[in-house]
């Protein structure tokens, strides 16, 4: 759900404040997921780590979309 919300915000017309807000949200979520993945590996919970890494990939894709939107065309 969260990823869909961010995708929708990225689809909106260019708004600098909105993009900064999205960028902060993505960075915070990536940091959170990084900690969670590390904890999952420490527990040897590979299934959880796999799910978290998939989420991280989605957020990396969102970050790429954000960067593309920030670059003037």
């Amino acid at each position: 759900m969260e990823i869909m919300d961010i995708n929708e915000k990225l689809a909106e017309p260019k708004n600098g404040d909105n993009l900064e807000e999205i960028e902060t949200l993505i960075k915070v979520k990536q940091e959170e997921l990084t900690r969670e993945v590390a904890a999952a590996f420490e527990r040897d919970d590979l299934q959880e780590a796999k799910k978290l890494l998939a989420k991280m990939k989605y957020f990396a894709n969102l970050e790429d979309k954000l960067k593309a939107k920030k670059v003037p065309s």
Side-chain angles (χ1 to χ4, degrees), residues 28-58:
V28 168
K29 191 63 178 177
Q30 286 176 322
E31 290 169 1
E32 177 185 319
L33 287 168
T34 300
R35 287 190 298 273
E36 290 178 17
V37 166
F41 277 122
E42 287 173 8
R43 294 188 310 267
D44 287 328
D45 188 349
L46 300 181
Q47 290 296 352
E48 181 66 15
K50 182 178 177 182
K51 287 193 296 188
L52 292 167
L53 288 168
K55 283 184 184 180
M56 287 179 78
K57 185 174 180 180
Y58 284 116

Side-chain angles (χ1 to χ4, degrees), residues 3-21:
I3 294 168
M4 287 174 47
D5 290 340
I6 295 171
N7 258 329
E8 288 174 5
K9 287 181 183 178
L10 282 173
E12 293 173 4
K14 195 170 187 176
N15 177 341
D17 293 338
N18 192 28
L19 293 180
E20 294 298 321
E21 176 186 331

Side-chain angles (χ1 to χ4, degrees), residues 14 16 19-20 23 64-73:
K14 195 170 187 176
L19 293 180
E20 294 298 321
E23 183 176 27
D64 289 343
K65 286 181 185 180
L66 177 68
K67 286 178 183 176
K69 190 157 182 133
K70 288 176 82 172
V71 173
S73 334

